[in-house]
Amino acid sequence: MRYDDIEIISLILRLKKDIISTGEFAPALGLSQQSVSRKIRELESNGLIKKEITARGQKITVLAKGLSLLRTTLNELNEAVGSIKKNLMFKGFVVSGLGEGSYYLGQDKYFVQFLDKLGFSPFKGTLNLRIKEDSNLDAKEAVISKVPIIINGFSDSGRTFGDIMCFRCKINNEVEGAIIVPKRTHHDDRIVEIIAPVCLRESMTLVDGDEVEVTSY
Amino acid sequence: MRYDDIEIISLILRLKKDIISTGEFAPALGLSQQSVSRKIRELESNGLIKKEITARGQKITVLAKGLSLLRTTLNELNEAVGSIKKNLMFKGFVVSGLGEGSYYLGQDKYFVQFLDKLGFSPFKGTLNLRIKEDSNLDAKEAVISKVPIIINGFSDSGRTFGDIMCFRCKINNEVEGAIIVPKRTHHDDRIVEIIAPVCLRESMTLVDGDEVEVTSY
DNA sequence: ATTACTACCGTCCGAGTAG
DNA sequence: TCTACTCGGACGGTAGTAA
């Protein structure tokens, strides 16, 4: 478990203190003072750090070997996070629109924001997909847990319209559009509403039951 | 030791395989098949991943909670690596110039490159520092293991002049200059030669034995 | 204050093996 | 093959305390 060492080195560097006591370290690592003391001694004997003990604590210098381990790990995590993006794809089946999306698109105060924030003027209707497999559901959850583009809500003639979250996506690797999700109402998890500059049913000749692939990027 | 989980999740993502067996995982983590099996079950019960067991192995999906942990860790490491730069400071004592630096500065073909690549025209002499403490020596090593600015070597009337590596630095947090290190000759590790647009001895009224702080940025 | 030793003990690892 | 159970033993954790 190489990453144990990294956790400590990372903390040492982030504390940005010249002198640190093992007791100070302990709670941040969820360990006792004694264990931290031992861990640090181990790091030193592995040549990852160097320490000088003073009256108030120890001055720790992360050595080249330690830094190199840190950088390697950083690269690994970057690679891991990078590979997530490629996993952000899910499939669903075209269903007839029962979603609220189309209604939103009819509201001018929403509509103007779409062009502004998404860069395209959406067709005034949504493509509704139903997700069947659980694995695709997870992918969809991953997409809509990314940082959303927010379409602000408003009040009009006594009614309140909430914020809408948008997530850019590509439909069948062909057309660029966006998944829209009302911020408040958590309606059926398995239905996804998609908007695009064009009518997707027409431009891609889709009918109910057709499988569609959605990629987030 | 939170990072243990990360190590496994990171590996899962980097393998980019749909189906993975615990036995395949084991060597990469330095654990036994049994331990990997248990670790993965723990990850699942902590809600970080989801797994489906098939005949050939298990299909693992990293859940939102797992991804978020991964991103947090990535940010921490980025912060840690970022803070290294601020740690790149060392101290040395002014000594009389026995270095080769001054000689280099006398060579026009080198000299013109300094202005070009460093953005300043150096005073035709170097400030030589001797590093006494080992901790400072480590910091100095860290500085000169960064990506160097290279001053190209050349041949002149039969003699060969090698490449020179430069590292921007700040002297006593006051004057901007550069550490220069011949690429070939690995002369005394404890002597550092510094160039600056001005004569540092004069502008900072330095004499032999004065302590000087060098920061790399 | 600190660090770190000793002693004890709980957790975790892995060999064997079942399913 | 695969996953995962049992169980003995090692490793790692902490309390007490010395330096």
Side-chain angles (χ1 to χ4, degrees):
Chain A
M1 296 280 94
R2 250 183 49 218
Y3 280 34
D4 276 9
D5 295 346
I6 296 296
E7 181 164 3
I8 301 175
I9 294 177
S10 163
L11 186 62
I12 291 171
L13 290 169
R14 279 178 293 127
L15 282 180
K16 287 169 196 167
K17 288 191 176 185
D18 263 21
I19 306 284
I20 321 174
S21 74
T22 52
E24 195 179 349
F25 248 84
L29 291 169
L31 294 173
S32 67
Q33 174 269 317
Q34 293 90 334
S35 294
V36 173
S37 168
R38 185 166 36 74
K39 290 267 186 199
I40 289 183
R41 271 174 282 148
E42 282 165 10
L43 288 181
E44 182 166 41
S45 64
N46 288 332
L48 300 176
I49 64 161
K50 203 174 72 87
K51 70 181 204 300
E52 289 174 75
I53 299 172
T54 72
R56 284 185 198 125
Q58 38 199 330
K59 183 178 184 314
I60 296 174
T61 315
V62 180
L63 299 181
K65 189 174 168 188
L67 295 180
S68 135
L69 187 62
L70 190 70
R71 291 208 181 86
T72 305
T73 309
L74 185 60
N75 287 338
E76 284 178 5
L77 288 190
N78 263 320
E79 192 189 331
V81 169
S83 77
I84 293 167
K85 288 172 190 161
K86 289 159 200 159
N87 290 342
L88 288 182
M89 184 274 289
F90 61 87
K91 291 175 183 174
F93 297 88
V94 175
V95 291
S96 279
L98 300 162
E100 314 162 42
S102 307
Y103 180 61
Y104 296 145
L105 290 163
Q107 303 295 326
D108 256 19
K109 287 183 182 169
Y110 277 136
F111 194 81
V112 293
Q113 291 183 62
F114 284 122
L115 175 57
D116 197 35
K117 294 176 179 173
L118 291 175
F120 65 84
S121 181
F123 168 77
K124 290 200 176 181
T126 59
L127 180 73
N128 297 278
L129 303 180
R130 172 174 292 278
I131 293 168
K132 281 180 179 164
E133 287 169 39
D134 282 352
S135 56
N136 281 308
L137 193 56
D138 288 330
K140 175 234 153 189
E141 290 296 340
V143 171
I144 70 169
S145 58
K146 295 210 305 177
V147 180
I149 296 167
I150 298 286
I151 302 293
N152 302 118
F154 56 92
S155 284
D156 201 25
S157 47
R159 231 204 102 166
T160 304
F161 295 82
D163 289 349
I164 301 173
M165 302 189 294
C166 299
F167 305 91
R168 288 181 200 286
C169 68
K170 210 163 188 173
I171 301 95
N172 278 347
N173 253 315
E174 211 179 309
V175 183
E176 309 223 333
I179 298 165
I180 61 172
V181 183
K183 206 172 179 180
R184 292 270 181 86
T185 47
H186 254 291
H187 66 4
D188 186 351
D189 255 4
R190 291 176 177 274
I191 296 286
V192 177
E193 293 195 81
I194 294 172
I195 58 172
V198 296
C199 174
L200 292 167
R201 274 180 185 267
E202 282 179 14
S203 75
M204 303 177 83
T205 60
L206 296 169
V207 297
D208 282 6
D210 283 355
E211 193 179 66
V212 169
E213 187 178 298
V214 180
T215 336
S216 173
Y217 52 101
Chain B
M1 295 281 92
R2 251 183 47 217
Y3 280 34
D4 276 8
D5 296 347
I6 295 295
E7 182 165 4
I8 300 175
I9 295 176
S10 163
L11 186 61
I12 291 171
L13 290 168
R14 280 178 294 126
L15 282 181
K16 287 170 193 164
K17 288 190 176 185
D18 264 19
I19 306 285
I20 321 176
S21 75
T22 51
E24 196 181 347
F25 249 84
L29 291 170
L31 293 174
S32 67
Q33 173 270 317
Q34 294 89 334
S35 293
V36 173
S37 168
R38 184 169 33 76
K39 291 266 186 199
I40 289 183
R41 272 174 281 148
E42 283 166 11
L43 288 181
E44 181 165 42
S45 65
N46 288 332
L48 300 177
I49 65 162
K50 199 174 75 88
K51 73 179 201 299
E52 288 172 76
I53 298 173
T54 73
R56 285 187 197 122
Q58 36 200 328
K59 184 180 183 314
I60 297 174
T61 314
V62 181
L63 300 180
K65 190 174 167 188
L67 295 181
S68 132
L69 187 61
L70 189 70
R71 291 210 181 86
T72 305
T73 309
L74 184 62
N75 286 339
E76 285 178 5
L77 288 192
N78 263 320
E79 192 189 330
V81 169
S83 77
I84 293 168
K85 291 171 191 162
K86 288 159 199 157
N87 290 342
L88 289 182
M89 183 275 289
F90 61 87
K91 291 175 183 173
F93 297 88
V94 175
V95 292
S96 279
L98 300 162
E100 313 163 44
S102 306
Y103 180 61
Y104 297 144
L105 289 164
Q107 302 296 324
D108 255 21
K109 287 182 180 168
Y110 277 136
F111 195 80
V112 292
Q113 291 184 62
F114 284 123
L115 175 57
D116 196 35
K117 294 175 178 173
L118 291 175
F120 65 83
S121 181
F123 169 76
K124 292 202 177 183
T126 59
L127 181 71
N128 297 279
L129 303 180
R130 171 175 292 279
I131 294 169
K132 281 182 182 165
E133 287 169 41
D134 281 351
S135 57
N136 282 307
L137 193 55
D138 288 330
K140 176 236 157 189
E141 289 297 338
V143 171
I144 70 169
S145 57
K146 296 211 303 179
V147 180
I149 297 166
I150 299 284
I151 302 294
N152 301 121
F154 56 92
S155 284
D156 202 26
S157 45
R159 232 204 102 168
T160 304
F161 295 83
D163 289 349
I164 302 174
M165 302 189 293
C166 300
F167 305 91
R168 288 182 199 285
C169 67
K170 209 164 188 173
I171 300 95
N172 278 347
N173 252 313
E174 208 179 311
V175 183
E176 309 222 333
I179 298 165
I180 62 172
V181 183
K183 206 171 179 182
R184 293 269 183 88
T185 47
H186 254 292
H187 66 2
D188 187 352
D189 255 4
R190 292 180 176 272
I191 296 285
V192 178
E193 293 194 82
I194 295 173
I195 58 172
V198 295
C199 174
L200 292 166
R201 275 180 184 266
E202 281 179 13
S203 76
M204 302 177 84
T205 59
L206 297 169
V207 295
D208 284 5
D210 285 354
E211 192 179 67
V212 169
E213 188 177 298
V214 179
T215 335
S216 174
Y217 52 102

